[in-house]
Amino acid sequence: MRTPTEPGVPDDTREALRDGPPARYDLRHHGDAEVADGLIDLAVNVRTGTPPSWLAERIAASLTGLAAYPDGRAARHAVAVRHGRPDGEVLLTAGAAEAFVLLARALTPRHAVVVHPQFTEPEAALRDAGHAVDRVLLDASDGFRLDPAAIPKAADLVVLGNPTNPTSVLHPAALVRELARPGRTLVVDEAFMDAVPGERESLAAARDVPGLLVLRSLTKTWGLAGLRIGYVLGDPELIAALHKAQPLWAVSTPALAAATACVEPHALAEAARAARTVTADRAYLVERLRGIPGVTVAGTPAAPFVLLRLPEAARIRLRLRDLGYAVRRADTFPGLGPDWLRIAVRDRRTTDGFTRALANATAAATT
């Protein structure tokens, strides 16, 4: 793990970390920008074949109530029960992305730290709200693993993804707990935790960690990116502050119906089955990728995507588009450069076609 003042960090990166985001990091670039008609989508981390019909029917049934203002009490209680928390420790949001904006509005950190590479919306939201942000960079040579000692002791806001987008690394909960301390808000983005079998290393039910806020998303596993539904769990005083910063009726009636449905026992069982399928499909993908010369799979992937390092990645990404595949450029994530790509886990037939295309594109780019 590297910090801006340590040896080995390039001068331009060190300067950018002090004064603002370097121009090469487009913090607002997301995988949906890579997708176009006719392309097989490996750029967006939403599970394919979703939402399931039973969930679509529940959402459709809610449309008869659109004349009334949304009432989130039942959905909030359902989420609270799912995680073993009182209702006052839950805030429903219009996707996890809204939660980052609320954090930036509600908190006044003196020393905010975002652990990178990770989802860029937390830093973008903090900067847009006028907060200075320092970065702690996890190192590829160490498998992008977390070292709590690298987090500045003075940091009063720390943001970490687990499992992390785009590295696919799952940090041990015991290590994440070490980041907590009195006077610090610890934000753990668990948007992809329901894709991890057993949700091991989750802190969603942890009520003994001071200043902890856990963010969850229902859009990835359930295919609800267009509906926008997520939630925040944690310290009731912090939850109340976020709620105060949130607009009235921020979560729509259909989204509330989805939230209730997705935490019911049959839904949790379906999500658990999906997580096991993703794990098997990811292992198959990684095996195929490791057979392609010049391609390196980063770390030990645990999420529904993998991070790749390969020469000429920018050219290869464009060649893959010509061959019918959209993948996520990763040079927009702080700590990564032009030789990185992120690939979503798909079914084995899709993986076979994609890895053949990648092998051809890699061979063509290096000859």
Side-chain angles (χ1 to χ4, degrees):
M1 182 179 291
R2 298 171 294 161
T3 59
T5 56
E6 290 177 343
V9 178
D11 289 342
D12 61 336
T13 299
R14 188 179 300 119
E15 186 66 26
L17 289 167
R18 284 198 298 266
D19 299 333
R24 69 176 180 273
Y25 294 134
D26 179 2
L27 301 180
R28 294 297 190 187
H29 182 86
H30 300 298
D32 59 316
E34 312 280 358
V35 181
D37 290 343
L39 296 180
I40 296 173
D41 176 15
L42 284 83
V44 175
N45 294 323
V46 173
R47 184 165 64 101
T48 57
T50 53
S53 59
W54 64 263
L55 178 55
E57 290 168 4
R58 288 281 293 274
I59 294 169
S62 75
L63 299 181
T64 60
L66 292 185
Y69 285 99
D71 183 347
R73 287 175 294 181
R76 184 187 192 189
H77 179 69
V79 171
V81 170
R82 183 259 195 268
H83 293 290
R85 289 179 175 272
D87 292 8
E89 295 180 3
V90 177
L91 179 69
L92 301 174
T93 60
E98 190 208 7
F100 295 122
V101 175
L102 297 179
L103 286 165
R105 290 176 179 173
L107 304 183
T108 55
R110 297 180 302 278
H111 188 179
V113 169
V114 178
V115 181
H116 284 289
Q118 80 148 355
F119 185 51
T120 53
E121 277 302 311
E123 179 172 327
L126 287 165
R127 290 186 181 279
D128 287 349
H131 302 298
V133 179
D134 283 343
R135 297 171 180 162
V136 170
L137 305 180
L138 306 186
D139 201 317
S141 65
D142 192 34
F144 296 108
R145 291 182 294 181
L146 175 66
D147 176 7
I151 306 299
K153 292 181 179 180
D156 57 354
L157 172 63
V158 176
V159 184
L160 173 74
N162 199 34
T164 304
N165 175 18
T167 64
S168 200
V169 170
L170 181 65
H171 304 294
L175 283 184
V176 178
R177 282 175 173 269
E178 290 184 27
L179 301 182
R181 61 184 59 206
R184 171 183 289 176
T185 301
L186 172 61
V187 179
V188 183
D189 176 8
E190 292 190 358
F192 294 99
M193 188 62 79
D194 60 354
V196 177
E199 298 192 3
R200 65 186 191 278
E201 314 305 345
S202 174
L203 292 176
R207 303 185 64 212
D208 60 342
V209 181
L212 174 67
L213 291 173
V214 175
L215 278 56
R216 300 293 290 256
S217 171
L218 296 173
T219 64
K220 311 299 191 297
T221 287
W222 296 111
L224 299 175
L227 191 62
R228 311 308 307 146
I229 179 63
Y231 51 89
V232 187
L233 308 166
D235 180 280
E237 291 186 5
L238 290 171
I239 292 292
L242 298 183
H243 178 65
K244 188 176 181 180
Q246 188 178 40
L248 289 172
W249 312 297
V251 182
S252 70
T253 295
L256 294 171
T260 301
C262 290
V263 297
E264 292 172 351
H266 71 94
L268 297 179
E270 182 173 326
R273 292 192 296 271
R276 292 192 293 270
T277 298
V278 164
T279 298
D281 287 344
R282 184 182 61 242
Y284 183 80
L285 171 62
V286 169
E287 180 183 8
R288 294 296 303 269
L289 289 169
R290 286 176 173 160
I292 301 175
V295 174
T296 300
V297 178
T300 303
F305 47 86
V306 297
L307 182 65
L308 307 183
R309 192 171 198 170
L310 64 166
E312 302 291 342
R315 290 177 57 194
I316 289 170
R317 180 176 64 88
L318 297 178
R319 176 58 179 157
L320 286 169
R321 292 182 70 83
D322 293 338
L323 296 173
Y325 294 90
V327 299
R328 171 64 155 94
R329 60 185 288 193
D331 59 341
T332 62
F333 293 99
L336 301 180
D339 50 348
W340 295 93
L341 298 174
R342 192 193 68 195
I343 312 297
V345 174
R346 298 293 187 237
D347 62 89
R348 298 186 184 197
R349 181 178 179 181
T350 301
T351 290
D352 287 341
F354 167 70
T355 51
R356 285 194 296 268
L358 179 60
N360 291 336
T362 301
T366 55
T367 57

